[in-house]
Amino acid sequence: MSVRTYPFDLEYVQKRGMGLTPVTVPRVDDRYILGIGLSSRCNFQCPICYYHAPDGEISGQDMDIGLLTEILSSLPRLARIVIGLEGEPLLHKQFFNAISIMAKHANELVLITNASLLTEEYSKFLLHISLPYILLSIDAADAENYARFRRGGNFDQFLRNVEAALALGHKAVLHATVFRENLGTLLELPALAHRLGLNCISLQQLRAHPGSARRGMHPTGQQELEDWFARLVVKASIHNIQIMPDRFFGGPEFHAQLCAQSLRENLLLVEKMPQRQCPHAENFAGIMADGSLFPCAGDYAPVPLENYSFDAIFNHPYLQKLRAFHRYGVDNPACTICMNKSEALS
């Protein structure tokens, strides 16, 4: 079993940010987003994954409930908690308890799940939690490609579990990572969502890394992505399915076009991206299942935390330097990758 390695770490960030004034943020309620890796265990081995593909698996554990309580009790009220990051959260042995605790400390939760365990019992419980979205990861709209891209899962079981989740109504959203090898099958997602009784598709792009490339999974080129997206919008309009790209989708220029398009077309749900600096640097931090800090959704190695105060997390030297990069316009390779400029990986 190999351990996931990251191309960038705290030492790299400190050296690159030498001479830059660190940027701190104030403790304020209802402003910050916390990502929580509730469990690092997963029952899938998807080839695009950092953590659980055959050549990149890490040992699995659930976040201790006492640790979860300690973390959340030390922070201001959070705007949002995103539950996912590194494993399948429904595998947590105290999932219901953990969700109930998180719901007390945030305005809303967002859950990302492969839906393999999403039974009617889970769905009824989640119905009463402040969850605007439950993202059901799919990455393919047919059984053959699902078996290829969601290794360990079963397409028919996924469909049955989604039917069990229909009580969640508009909260249940099909969620796909977009990469070159699944563009064809993803064009059928609007038809599948319509057949399942869902009304929204969520999209993010592959954050390419050496493991995904070794397994034959590659990011799309920019023009390829734009042409594909235009075709997807046509199919979505036929079935009246909304499309919700994440705020990094397509890079800054294309995302700005999508924002303008969303003002004209109610089928597009696009969150406006700030012009100059990454919103993750300003208001996001992640905590892995072992309690370590994951500074953003990029390629930065987690680091242990001595305590879980607001400053220990959101004003950690890691995040202060990353904010300085954005604030003072320092180019940074990891952020270039995150913004999906695939030529940076060539």
Side-chain angles (χ1 to χ4, degrees):
M1 178 183 296
S2 58
V3 177
R4 171 75 183 107
T5 58
Y6 297 80
F8 307 103
D9 57 17
L10 177 58
E11 182 180 5
Y12 165 86
V13 168
Q14 289 176 324
K15 285 182 178 179
R16 192 170 184 85
M18 194 173 296
L20 296 179
T21 302
V23 178
T24 61
V25 291
R27 180 187 173 106
V28 180
D29 282 344
D30 306 322
R31 172 173 172 176
Y32 296 99
I33 299 171
L34 187 68
I36 292 185
L38 196 57
S39 178
S40 63
R41 297 185 294 128
C42 193
N43 51 353
F44 283 15
Q45 291 186 321
C46 304
I48 64 171
C49 184
Y50 266 16
Y51 306 104
H52 300 104
D55 60 346
E57 188 174 1
I58 60 173
S59 58
Q61 69 179 93
D62 292 346
M63 178 177 282
D64 181 77
I65 290 294
L67 174 61
L68 177 64
T69 301
E70 178 186 353
I71 293 168
L72 296 178
S73 298
S74 301
L75 299 177
R77 183 167 184 82
L78 296 163
R80 175 181 291 182
I81 295 176
V82 180
I83 306 159
L85 292 187
E86 56 178 329
E88 171 48 49
L90 270 64
L91 283 171
H92 194 287
K93 295 176 181 176
Q94 293 181 273
F95 176 81
F96 296 126
N97 190 16
I99 294 295
S100 297
I101 292 169
M102 286 188 276
K104 296 176 182 177
H105 292 273
N107 294 342
E108 62 183 29
L109 311 181
V110 171
L111 174 66
I112 306 170
T113 173
N114 62 31
S116 62
L117 303 174
L118 191 60
T119 62
E120 188 175 352
E121 178 186 11
Y122 281 94
S123 298
K124 287 181 177 178
F125 170 77
L126 293 170
L127 184 62
H128 302 290
I129 301 295
S130 181
L131 281 147
Y133 303 111
I134 298 176
L135 303 183
L136 310 175
S137 295
I138 183 168
D139 294 350
D142 63 277
E144 180 181 355
N145 282 298
Y146 186 89
R148 179 184 175 193
F149 301 132
R150 305 296 295 167
R151 194 173 301 161
N154 179 281
F155 187 67
D156 290 335
Q157 184 66 55
F158 178 89
L159 299 183
R160 288 193 294 271
N161 288 0
V162 170
E163 290 178 359
L166 285 181
L168 295 167
H170 69 277
K171 294 183 177 185
V173 173
L174 293 182
H175 177 65
T177 299
V178 180
F179 47 97
R180 178 166 294 162
E181 288 70 25
N182 73 344
L183 291 179
T185 181
L186 290 188
L187 286 176
E188 303 309 314
L189 272 187
L192 179 63
H194 177 74
R195 178 159 65 90
L196 291 171
L198 304 181
N199 63 6
C200 187
I201 297 167
S202 166
L203 300 175
Q204 68 179 69
Q205 283 179 261
L206 172 68
R207 192 173 74 248
H209 56 93
S212 64
R214 283 196 303 273
R215 301 170 207 129
M217 307 295 151
H218 305 92
T220 62
Q222 187 63 36
Q223 191 60 54
E224 183 181 30
L225 179 73
E226 293 182 23
D227 292 345
W228 170 83
F229 191 83
R231 295 171 64 194
L232 183 72
V233 169
V234 171
K235 288 181 174 286
S237 65
I238 293 172
H239 299 286
N240 199 32
I241 301 297
Q242 292 182 310
I243 303 176
M244 183 171 62
D246 76 2
R247 55 187 173 181
F248 299 106
F249 192 84
E253 292 183 8
F254 183 55
H255 196 84
Q257 295 174 25
L258 294 182
C259 285
Q261 187 178 351
S262 71
L263 297 176
R264 303 187 301 269
E265 302 177 22
N266 59 12
L267 289 181
L268 282 181
L269 303 175
V270 184
E271 184 177 359
K272 187 176 181 180
M273 182 72 176
Q275 292 297 310
R276 291 183 56 83
Q277 58 199 41
C278 172
H280 271 21
E282 296 297 315
N283 71 348
F284 177 87
I287 304 293
M288 307 292 257
D290 63 1
S292 59
L293 173 69
F294 191 41
C296 72
D299 292 312
Y300 299 105
V303 292
L305 288 171
E306 294 183 2
N307 64 75
Y308 296 96
S309 66
F310 173 80
D311 283 333
I313 296 174
F314 286 96
N315 282 320
H316 190 279
Y318 229 151
L319 288 174
Q320 290 190 42
K321 287 295 186 182
L322 288 175
R323 289 186 203 114
F325 289 165
H326 293 286
R327 191 71 60 88
Y328 305 121
V330 175
D331 183 43
N332 187 38
C335 295
T336 300
I337 295 170
C338 188
M339 293 304 293
N340 299 299
K341 296 179 181 177
S342 59
E343 63 269 19
L345 295 176
S346 61

